[in-house]
Amino acid sequence: MTDTAIEARGLGKRFGRRNALDACSFRLPAGRICALVGPNGAGKSTLLTLAAGLARPSGGGLRRDLDRHLDRGTRVHRAGDGSGAGAG
């Protein structure tokens, strides 16, 4: 099985009453090149902000194994557990 660099399950992010992401799920294999495309307001920047660990999700979970490839360990961010920006 291919190593996974980033995996999201039911990932969500709310800003006030507005959903920027709602139940986003995907798996990005390590060592692959990918593109993130969509119309304005689709949540692309929000997804990248969450993946970079600069914000906490409002729902679901995000596993980043990118750090493992840099010998820093796997980071897991889940909604409401305080593991967002500055954790780890």
Side-chain angles (χ1 to χ4, degrees):
M1 181 172 203
T2 305
D3 282 340
T4 300
I6 302 173
E7 181 176 4
R9 291 188 183 192
L11 190 62
K13 180 65 178 172
R14 293 184 64 82
F15 295 102
R17 295 188 306 177
R18 184 170 188 270
N19 278 327
L21 286 176
D22 188 20
C24 177
S25 297
F26 67 91
R27 183 177 296 158
L28 177 64
R32 292 285 186 99
I33 297 173
C34 72
L36 183 59
V37 297
N40 290 344
K44 299 177 300 293
S45 295
T46 300
L47 176 59
L48 293 174
T49 299
L50 293 170
L54 300 175
R56 288 192 307 237
S58 302
L62 178 69
R63 189 182 84 211
R64 300 183 311 136
D65 283 346
L66 296 172
D67 295 328
R68 182 174 62 93
H69 297 287
L70 298 173
D71 296 327
R72 293 185 187 164
T74 300
R75 294 177 186 234
V76 176
H77 298 285
R78 290 192 182 88
D81 72 356
S83 64

